Amino acid sequence: MSVRRLAEASVQPASFAFNRANAAAAKQWIKKYPKGREQSAIIPLLMIAQEQEGWVTKAAIETISDMLGMPRIRGLEVATFYTQYQLNPVGTRAHIQVCGTTPCMLRGSEALMDVCRSKIHHDQFHTNDKGTLSWEEVECLGACVNAPMVMVFKDTFEDLTPERLAEIIDLYDAGKGASVAPGPQNGRTGSEPASGLTTLKSEKAILKSTRDREAREAAKAAKAAPGAIIAAPVPAPAAAPVAPSNASKPKTDAPETSPALKTPSKTKVAPAAEKAASVSAPLHSAANANMAAPEVEKVSKQRNGPTAKAEPATAFKAPETKAPAAKPAKPSLEDKNRPAGIDRPAAVDDLKLISGVGPKIEGVLHTLGIFTFAQVASWKKAERDWVDGYLSFHGRIDRDDWVKQAKALAKGGVAEYIRVFGKKPV
């Protein structure tokens, strides 16, 4: 965006005030905004000031900012941001805005700018010698189908040629701008095709009001001349009704599609007769719901869950895919290899000092009569295997070497454990 600055101080008026009509309009605009949001009215108020003065002066920005109770710098920010506000004096009779966006450029807007340069001023935002005309290039003015076009104040002039724009400029310069009809300048109506309508040329087949009017006129003419034979308008042949297709309707015995349950019924039937004609819903079967259609019954996977595949009895199976072996049963408490237990002594060793024994395992050992380090230190291979199987440890007692840990703790406590293993018991 180009930098926009206020006009030179030499052309700025000393003060600004709305005339009576515009002051009333400004108050109406301010009332449209809720309390505390009145500053939002600055955009329409600046536009009213521009329509009154022809351009937005510094005095107008400051007056409107004070009126809305907002800092003047905020008013300057708004006025210099929006290109709809003219910050320099423009022509008193016409300020011509030439659209230079792609559609208009392709249709000859550059030639229109050349006309402005020759008849007004070589540069934009400069008035002619009399101060009555000025021009500028702008972005899209919104009538691309009628390109190229210009806007003079709030009127648009479309379908222009350089010659026609020169005529319009001369009329405005002579003070006869009101005589120029806005809109297309080549005889086109609105945005219709330049050659005229190609479709929808008659409303007879479209509007019911047109057909009704013709029927009333025909009836009125028949009353006025009873003996005359008036041809009645021939209505268009009605299209034969197309029966709905049943091709895609499911054929089931479900109540939703049963013809016996269609409503509303033309005749009343007894509940017993209706029940006899109705088909009860099938019982839900998860197995049947999971079955594939017959034509795809032999696929390897059904709708939900895999289907077992037939395979040779000698097919190799990876060890990890084999069915897990049955979990071994716990050894019997009457087994001869069970370590000998004792009654709970007055001083019980802290078995949790053995790595791998927690509070729960310690409790199980206590139920087996194991309360001291000396008992664990005396376990033989068969006894260790029995305890390992009873606790479902799968060799953990030997891996953690409970016997060696227990011997060190029984001999010298934590100090001996540190000497043997080089660390404190966990």
Side-chain angles (χ1 to χ4, degrees):
M1 180 183 290
S2 61
V3 178
R4 287 165 49 80
R5 294 188 174 90
L6 299 182
E8 297 293 335
S10 58
V11 299
Q12 293 282 359
S15 61
F16 168 82
F18 284 119
N19 58 35
R20 181 177 297 179
N22 287 339
K27 291 180 180 179
Q28 289 297 321
W29 272 104
I30 295 173
K31 288 181 181 179
K32 293 181 179 181
Y33 296 92
K35 188 176 182 180
R37 302 288 183 179
E38 294 86 355
Q39 295 180 3
S40 300
I42 187 171
I43 290 181
L45 264 59
L46 287 174
M47 184 57 68
I48 293 174
Q50 176 168 285
E51 292 173 354
Q52 177 179 307
E53 302 294 314
W55 59 294
V56 177
T57 65
K58 180 181 179 182
I61 298 172
E62 294 174 349
T63 300
I64 294 173
S65 299
D66 295 342
M67 181 187 304
L68 298 175
M70 61 190 300
R72 292 182 175 182
I73 184 61
R74 296 287 303 279
L76 287 167
E77 289 171 351
V78 174
T80 56
F81 179 82
Y82 293 104
T83 57
Q84 66 185 3
Y85 301 123
Q86 302 297 331
L87 302 181
N88 287 273
V90 297
T92 57
R93 293 179 178 172
H95 177 68
I96 300 173
Q97 295 177 305
V98 184
C99 179
T101 315
T102 306
C104 284
M105 186 64 71
L106 293 174
R107 295 280 291 169
S109 64
E110 188 62 40
L112 303 184
M113 297 181 202
D114 289 339
V115 172
C116 294
R117 293 186 184 101
S118 62
K119 298 188 76 67
I120 301 174
H121 194 281
H122 182 270
D123 298 321
Q124 303 179 46
F125 303 106
H126 289 76
T127 61
N128 59 356
D129 295 337
K130 296 183 289 184
T132 57
L133 302 173
S134 59
W135 75 281
E136 67 171 312
E137 179 185 355
V138 296
E139 295 300 317
C140 184
L141 291 175
C144 306
V145 70
N146 295 353
M149 65 174 297
V150 302
M151 177 181 283
V152 180
F153 299 123
K154 293 185 177 181
D155 291 329
T156 59
F157 301 91
E158 307 143 23
D159 291 312
L160 288 170
T161 61
E163 295 76 17
R164 179 55 183 161
L165 178 59
E167 295 174 0
I168 293 174
I169 292 175
D170 290 339
L171 290 171
Y172 271 100
D173 193 23
K176 300 179 181 179
S179 63
V180 184
Q185 301 296 304
N186 62 350
R188 184 207 303 254
T189 301
S191 297
E192 294 178 359
S195 58
L197 287 175
T198 57
T199 59
L200 305 179
K201 295 183 178 181
S202 173
E203 296 181 347
K204 288 185 178 181
I206 300 175
L207 298 179
K208 183 177 182 297
S209 59
T210 304
R211 299 195 298 271
D212 292 344
R213 185 179 67 252
E214 292 178 347
R216 289 194 299 269
E217 291 175 354
K220 186 177 180 180
K223 288 182 180 180
I229 299 176
I230 300 175
V234 180
V242 179
S245 173
N246 293 324
S248 63
K249 290 186 177 180
K251 295 180 180 180
T252 70
D253 291 329
E256 291 80 4
T257 57
S258 174
L261 301 182
K262 286 185 177 181
T263 57
S265 177
K266 295 182 179 179
T267 59
K268 297 295 182 180
V269 296
E274 183 175 308
K275 185 176 181 180
S278 301
V279 179
S280 59
L283 295 176
H284 174 70
S285 171
N288 292 339
N290 193 40
M291 295 297 290
E295 59 270 18
V296 293
E297 194 65 45
K298 295 181 181 181
V299 295
S300 60
K301 187 176 181 181
Q302 299 294 335
R303 292 176 178 173
N304 185 23
T307 300
K309 296 182 181 179
E311 59 182 14
T314 58
F316 171 77
K317 287 186 178 181
E320 58 271 16
T321 63
K322 292 181 179 179
K327 195 174 183 180
K330 273 189 176 185
S332 171
L333 293 175
E334 305 299 328
D335 193 290
K336 65 179 181 176
N337 293 321
R338 173 185 172 182
I342 61 175
D343 294 334
R344 186 181 183 92
V348 178
D349 290 337
D350 185 3
L351 299 181
K352 296 190 296 297
L353 293 177
I354 298 175
S355 177
V357 177
K360 184 176 180 180
I361 301 301
E362 184 183 44
V364 175
L365 293 175
H366 286 174
T367 62
L368 296 175
I370 310 298
F371 295 97
T372 65
F373 296 132
Q375 289 178 276
V376 178
S378 65
W379 287 349
K380 304 302 182 186
K381 179 69 169 69
E383 294 171 322
R384 295 197 303 271
D385 290 344
W386 186 93
V387 176
D388 195 88
Y390 188 82
L391 298 177
S392 301
F393 269 6
H394 307 289
R396 178 175 170 184
I397 291 178
D398 284 340
R399 289 196 302 272
D400 292 345
D401 208 345
W402 283 16
V403 172
K404 186 177 181 180
Q405 294 184 65
K407 286 180 179 179
L409 291 168
K411 181 179 180 180
V414 175
E416 180 66 14
Y417 188 98
I418 295 174
R419 189 190 70 78
V420 174
F421 293 99
K423 61 179 183 178
K424 291 183 178 181
V426 179

